[in-house]
């Protein structure tokens, strides 16, 4: 296996991961497996690269004030617990069943987002008491729309349940589960797409750290894979994190939908081919 | 948190992320270049020298840091990965501190809980 090849492949995937909030792991794993890397090694290394994507894009978007740190920390409770449980259960789960389950999991995100395709910003909704107590609201300057955007989030408990499922899938499949996280944040919390993508990247780093610790202990983490992947995705994510605020939310959704479509096909293929 | 202190918090979190990422990526690149300089190739295999494993992540990190003076290229790359993972960990700790100093009790407790969960995940296997 060639370290330089892995590094060059990882950079555009890091860029895409940062732009869509997917984390990049879902894209990297099938690419590495196609190159002949054993799947468990690919998953373990992908967990490390997800941390790089999250740190790279998170650094830019947190500073720009797009990420909602409070919402991110609140939701991380659920994703980290889910990831630890999922990674612990991973040794007992059937991989083909998981591929099918995840394809279905992604389809929900796809269909849900398609319904909101024409919506640049989510429509206002009355904030519930818990969301108010948790101070789940925010504001950011949208460069593409050239205006300040203020938003209030709602239904934090339901979103927490969704995030627990996302964390579980992340731990089981060795991915960031960003597609599902983004979907939960946009549909349940009513978070604007840009805030959702960047907050998802912020959370994914913590989820991936929990998952990576399990793969580290399992002996599946190989330096020759993880190091170049981390470098490539970090560079890609830094560029992606700085690009995101120049694009409209609709553009981000288009990129997201194309990527999710590819992932659904890939997961179904994996499930059928075994 | 006031609007001003919240901006400071976000700036500090961002600096932890960018600083940790820059250092870890630099160390990894140095490791990759050192490996190329030593072996004349970018190829690697799945032998134990390329494996990064242990039961306690912090014990592994301390062991790696204590032997950094005699570092091999693979140890340098491993150090980069450890630093990257610690960056994510440090970000949560930074968030705890700033919510604490900002006297935001709810988010101090929430971020501290996430920090403890991650600590347990890195130690207990």
């Amino acid at each position: 296996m060639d370290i330089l090849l892995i590094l060059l492949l990882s950079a555009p995937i890091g860029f895409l991961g940062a732009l869509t909030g997917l984390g990049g792991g879902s894209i990297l794993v099938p690419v590495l497996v196609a190159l002949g890397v054993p799947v468990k090694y690919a998953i373990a290394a992908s967990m490390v690269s997800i941390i790089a994507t999250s740190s790279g894009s998170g650094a830019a978007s947190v500073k720009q004030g797009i990420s909602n740190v409070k919402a991110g920390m609140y939701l991380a409770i659920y994703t980290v617990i889910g990831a630890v449980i999922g990674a612990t259960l991973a040794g007992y789960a059937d991989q083909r069943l998981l591929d099918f389950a995840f394809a279905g999991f992604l389809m929900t995100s796809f269909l849900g987002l398609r319904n909101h395709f024409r919506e640049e910003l989510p429509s206002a909704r009355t904030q519930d008491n818990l969301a108010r107590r948790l101070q789940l609201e925010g504001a950011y300057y949208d460069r593409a729309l050239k205006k300040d955007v203020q938003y209030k989030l709602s239904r934090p408990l339901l979103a927490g349940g969704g995030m627990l499922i996302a964390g579980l899938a992340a731990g089981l499949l060795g991915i960031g589960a960003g597609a599902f996280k983004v979907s939960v944040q946009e549909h349940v919390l009513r978070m604007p797409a840009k805030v959702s993508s960047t907050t998802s990247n912020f959370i994914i780093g913590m989820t991936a750290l929990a998952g990576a610790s399990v793969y580290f202990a399992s002996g599946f983490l190989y330096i020759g894979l993880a190091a170049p992947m981390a470098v490539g995705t970090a560079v890609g994510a830094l560029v992606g994190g700085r690009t995101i605020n120049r694009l409209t939310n609709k553009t981000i959704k288009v990129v997201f939908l194309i990527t999710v479509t590819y992932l659904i096909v890939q997961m179904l293929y994996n499930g059928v081919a075994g | 948190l006031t609007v001003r202190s919240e901006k400071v918090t976000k700036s500090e979190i961002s600096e932890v992320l960018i600083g940790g990422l820059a250092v870890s990526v630099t160390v990894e690149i140095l490791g990759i270049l050192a490996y190329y300089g030593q072996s004349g190739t970018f190829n690697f295999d799945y032998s134990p020298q390329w494996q990064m494993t242990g039961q306690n992540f912090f014990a592994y990190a301390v062991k790696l840091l204590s032997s950094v003076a005699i570092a091999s290229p693979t140890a340098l790359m491993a150090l980069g990965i450890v630093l990257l993972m610690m960056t994510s960990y440090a970000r949560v700790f930074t968030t705890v501190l700033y919510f604490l100093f900002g006297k935001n009790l709810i988010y101090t407790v929430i971020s501290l809980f996430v920090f403890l969960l991650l600590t347990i995940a890195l130690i207990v296997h």
Side-chain angles (χ1 to χ4, degrees), chain A residues 57-129:
Chain A
S57 59
S61 56
V62 168
K63 198 165 192 174
Q64 286 171 33
I66 309 172
S67 289
N68 190 318
V69 178
K70 286 177 185 168
M73 289 311 295
Y74 167 72
L75 297 172
I77 294 175
Y78 301 93
T79 61
V80 169
I81 291 174
V84 171
I85 296 170
T88 309
L89 292 175
Y92 307 99
D94 182 88
Q95 190 61 45
R96 287 183 68 180
L97 261 179
L98 290 173
D99 288 336
F100 283 124
F102 197 68
F105 185 75
L106 287 172
M107 275 180 202
T108 317
S109 312
F110 182 89
L111 294 171
L113 267 186
R114 203 187 58 175
N115 293 337
H116 286 259
F117 204 68
R118 293 178 181 279
E119 201 177 47
E120 181 60 34
L121 293 169
S123 50
R125 178 187 282 170
T126 313
Q127 206 178 20
D128 54 77
N129 273 338

Side-chain angles (χ1 to χ4, degrees), chain B residues 62-79:
Chain B
V62 169
K63 192 178 164 189
L64 196 65
L65 282 169
S66 62
S67 65
V68 78
I70 48 162
S72 65
T74 50
L76 264 180
M77 285 186 244
L79 183 63

Side-chain angles (χ1 to χ4, degrees), chain A residues 151-174:
Chain A
Y151 60 91
K152 290 187 175 185
L153 309 179
S154 58
R155 300 188 292 181
L157 269 185
L158 189 60
M163 286 294 171
L164 189 69
I165 296 169
L168 201 66
L172 275 168
L173 300 166

Side-chain angles (χ1 to χ4, degrees), chain A residues 1-4 6-7 36-38 41 48-49 51-60 62-63 65-71 73-74 76-77 80-81 84 133-137 139 201-207 209-210 212-228 230-231 234-235 238 242, chain B residues 1 6-7 9-11 13-15 17-18 21 24-26 28-29 32 35 41-58 60-61 73-78 81-82 84-92 95-96 99 104 106-107 109-115 117-118 121-125:
Chain A
M1 204 68 226
D2 194 296
I3 291 175
L4 198 60
I6 294 169
L7 197 154
V37 177
Y41 300 170
V48 175
S49 74
I51 298 173
T53 312
S54 173
S55 300
S57 59
V62 168
K63 198 165 192 174
I66 309 172
S67 289
N68 190 318
V69 178
K70 286 177 185 168
M73 289 311 295
Y74 167 72
I77 294 175
V80 169
I81 291 174
V84 171
R133 284 186 182 195
L134 287 169
Q135 306 149 31
L136 293 178
E137 55 198 30
N201 274 323
F202 183 74
I203 303 167
I204 280 173
M206 293 177 263
T207 317
L209 179 61
S213 69
V214 177
Y215 289 102
F216 165 78
S218 307
F220 296 137
L221 194 54
Y222 277 87
I223 300 160
L225 283 173
V231 173
V235 173
L238 272 171
R242 278 162 174 73
Chain B
L1 288 176
E6 193 161 345
K7 277 183 182 168
T9 305
K10 287 180 175 178
S11 177
I13 293 170
S14 178
E15 279 164 21
L17 289 175
I18 205 78
L21 187 65
S24 64
V25 165
T26 305
E28 279 163 5
I29 290 172
I32 291 169
Y35 175 67
T41 176
F42 282 113
N43 285 333
F44 72 96
D45 55 27
Y46 300 113
S47 60
Q49 67 150 332
W50 289 98
Q51 199 178 28
M52 192 175 159
T53 190
Q55 289 304 303
N56 181 327
F57 179 78
F58 295 110
Y60 177 88
T74 50
L76 264 180
M77 285 186 244
I81 294 167
V82 166
L84 184 64
M85 289 171 74
M86 290 306 291
T87 299
S88 199
Y89 187 67
R91 142 171 63 176
V92 184
T95 312
V96 174
F99 280 127
N104 187 325
I106 295 172
Y107 279 93
V109 172
I110 287 175
S111 49
L112 190 62
F113 184 65
V114 174
F115 182 72
L117 281 176
L118 288 173
L122 289 165
I123 291 175
V124 183
H125 285 288

